[in-house]
Amino acid sequence: MKSLTDKQRIDYPILAITLFSVLYNCILAYINHNITPLSVSHVVLCEGLMMLSSVAYLLKRGIYEEDLPIFLYLIFTLIITIYITVLNHVPFIDQFRNVLIIVCFAGIGSWASERTVRLAFRIGCFFVLLFLICEIVSTPFYVSLFHPGEYFENTRGIKQASFNNTGLFANALGFEGRFSFGLIDHRSSSLFLEQVSLANFCGVVVIYLMSLWTKLGIVEKTLCISTVLLILLTNDTRTMLIFSCTCVVGYFVFPKIPKAFDLILMPLIILIGFFVHFMKPEEVGDNFTGRVGVTIKKMLDLDFQAIIGLDITRIGEFADSGYVYLIYGSTILGLIVFWLFICLYPAGNTAAQRRCAHSLSLFIFLNMMIGGTAIFSIKIAGLLWLLIGYMRVSEKPRTARTQPANVDGSRVPG
């Protein structure tokens, strides 16, 4: 009975923080056009509020031995951040911010109940699907709500392209010859307002389905699958199409693979990347092999200064090459520790945990081959790491283990 109670409770602070991480961008965009112009400081303020709220929640709960991996990783990143800042004479906190997002949401996820996690995904999917349908049915109405181009110009300094008079984020328009199912005339963005986060949200929902499929009801499964399919059909995301198809097979295969296999996944993906590049060395366009080629070329251009973090001023050139971005922003040691964390932090005792761990590693390491900073965006990283934190302790809920005992040894209901 106690276990059932733990699973069914709703952790409202965790739910609120997580849903705000998914929704805050579209809320700010609505305010920016319809109420008052905003700036990057408002975005930073919202992210800071989520981080502080998460840290306050974790401190209130207390820090335990099982929290050490995430906090040691944060301390390591802080040391690397200070090292890079001092030696380059340029403040650079991006990677510390990225890891702080992971720590905060994995931390609160480890305290979340199953009902809280499922509710967060259910509400998140509902709103993403709702605004995605709105965008497909009437793009002008969608633009009138959020004016994405104007929002990103005001808050990110990304100028609206002269060729784009739709009001959408410029990169959402795609280009002739790009992979597409042709359902709409641009790459969908839904409430994220830009196409890359929506594509990655699709991947996060797939990981969720992999992790909790046997526990989900028919309504939840239908909602999540509908969201994934509509994103794949309208977002023109090659990477998430490959990832999703792999996970369909992986659902049956992943439980049979030891979690330690993840340690060779990143080197294997990089090795395949080198093979693809040497097969098509001139391929550098905006297609899958072209994006892989760009990343491999940049990896081959790495010099000693970059490897030890002494060339931070160039990091802006590598926003679409995750492995190179991590090396420039946290040294080669930072990339190695990140690789070990992704592979070792998730639990792998049950079939569901192994599905979660393997799909997470595949999602991260495949993404880093064709993208850079998108996987660290709080818009999708919050929900992702909430799930990873929960799955790590899903078989032994923490609240059941940390409640005070009665005199007879039973646990006090809470």
Side-chain angles (χ1 to χ4, degrees):
M1 177 63 73
K2 181 65 201 173
S3 177
L4 182 62
T5 302
D6 287 331
K7 289 183 178 181
Q8 292 303 314
R9 77 177 194 283
I10 299 177
D11 306 289
Y12 289 103
I14 296 177
L15 183 64
I17 293 168
T18 307
L19 288 179
F20 188 55
S21 73
V22 176
L23 300 171
Y24 86 101
N25 221 40
C26 69
I27 295 172
L28 292 183
Y30 182 85
I31 294 171
N32 176 73
H33 181 77
N34 297 285
I35 301 177
T36 182
L38 302 179
S39 66
V40 66
S41 60
H42 296 95
V43 179
V44 173
L45 181 63
C46 286
E47 287 200 6
L49 179 63
M50 286 181 269
M51 305 279 204
L52 287 173
S53 300
S54 301
V55 170
Y57 183 91
L58 292 174
L59 291 177
K60 182 179 179 180
R61 283 292 193 177
I63 307 301
Y64 295 83
E65 183 178 349
E66 57 199 304
D67 297 310
L68 284 179
I70 55 174
F71 284 102
L72 288 175
Y73 185 35
L74 185 65
I75 292 170
F76 165 81
T77 308
L78 177 60
I79 294 170
I80 290 292
T81 298
I82 294 171
Y83 161 81
I84 288 178
T85 297
V86 170
L87 293 187
N88 286 275
H89 306 290
V90 176
F92 181 77
I93 62 169
D94 286 32
Q95 186 57 16
F96 180 75
R97 170 258 187 195
N98 294 340
V99 174
L100 183 60
I101 291 173
I102 293 173
V103 169
C104 286
F105 283 92
I108 63 175
S110 70
W111 288 103
S113 67
E114 179 185 309
R115 188 179 181 188
T116 304
V117 175
R118 289 172 61 177
L119 193 56
F121 272 87
R122 198 156 62 236
I123 295 173
C125 280
F126 172 79
F127 280 108
V128 169
L129 186 59
L130 175 67
F131 286 107
L132 181 53
I133 293 172
C134 170
E135 181 182 0
I136 294 168
V137 173
S138 177
T139 303
F141 177 68
Y142 168 80
V143 171
S144 72
L145 289 175
F146 304 121
H147 289 265
E150 177 188 318
Y151 172 68
F152 282 107
E153 181 172 357
N154 287 355
T155 61
R156 309 301 201 281
I158 303 172
K159 296 292 183 183
Q160 298 183 67
S162 58
F163 59 82
N164 178 13
N165 57 8
T166 63
L168 295 166
F169 182 58
N171 290 348
L173 296 184
F175 55 86
E176 187 177 354
R178 182 188 168 89
F179 163 79
S180 174
F181 287 104
L183 220 63
I184 55 176
D185 60 359
H186 65 277
R187 299 180 65 194
S188 58
S189 303
S190 188
L191 54 75
F192 299 109
L193 313 183
E194 46 82 17
Q195 73 285 352
V196 177
S197 290
L198 181 62
N200 284 330
F201 179 80
C202 170
V204 172
V205 176
V206 169
I207 296 172
Y208 171 68
L209 289 172
M210 292 285 288
S211 305
L212 293 175
W213 178 262
T214 57
K215 298 183 178 181
L216 301 182
I218 187 67
V219 174
E220 288 175 280
K221 289 177 179 178
T222 301
L223 174 63
C224 291
I225 292 173
S226 300
T227 303
V228 167
L229 288 177
L230 200 55
I231 292 173
L232 291 176
L233 289 172
T234 60
N235 185 264
D236 305 342
T237 168
R238 301 145 301 192
T239 308
M240 287 304 108
L241 183 60
I242 294 170
F243 173 72
S244 300
C245 292
T246 303
C247 284
V248 171
V249 178
Y251 182 85
F252 304 98
V253 176
F254 288 167
K256 300 176 175 29
I257 302 175
K259 193 167 79 77
F261 171 80
D262 291 338
L263 288 169
I264 69 170
L265 188 57
M266 186 181 88
L268 183 61
I269 288 175
I270 293 175
L271 187 62
I272 293 172
F274 272 94
F275 176 77
V276 169
H277 173 65
F278 287 121
M279 289 293 290
K280 295 186 176 181
E282 304 305 319
E283 192 84 49
V284 291
D286 193 10
N287 52 48
F288 190 79
T289 54
R291 295 288 289 273
V292 169
V294 168
T295 295
I296 297 302
K297 276 179 176 288
K298 290 176 179 177
M299 291 178 74
L300 291 171
D301 289 339
L302 283 168
D303 56 23
F304 185 70
Q305 290 283 100
I307 288 173
I308 62 172
L310 298 182
D311 201 5
I312 194 64
T313 54
R314 292 190 58 201
I315 196 167
E317 303 172 24
F318 310 110
D320 288 330
S321 302
Y323 294 109
V324 184
Y325 176 87
L326 264 181
I327 291 172
Y328 269 85
S330 60
T331 75
I332 188 65
L333 185 59
L335 174 62
I336 293 171
V337 173
F338 177 76
W339 163 57
L340 292 174
F341 180 81
I342 296 297
C343 296
L344 300 178
Y345 178 74
N349 298 319
T350 67
Q353 288 174 335
R354 285 192 293 276
R355 289 188 184 106
C356 179
H358 293 320
S359 56
L360 171 71
S361 294
L362 182 62
F363 174 77
I364 295 289
F365 299 140
L366 183 61
N367 233 313
M368 288 174 65
M369 183 56 72
I370 52 87
T373 59
I375 57 170
F376 297 113
S377 170
I378 198 170
K379 291 175 286 185
I380 63 105
L383 205 54
L384 172 62
W385 286 100
L386 177 86
L387 174 65
I388 302 306
Y390 165 74
M391 287 301 296
R392 190 169 190 263
V393 299
S394 58
E395 297 306 306
K396 297 179 180 179
R398 298 183 69 175
T399 49
R401 288 179 282 145
T402 56
Q403 289 169 351
N406 288 318
V407 176
D408 61 359
S410 63
R411 295 290 175 182
V412 178

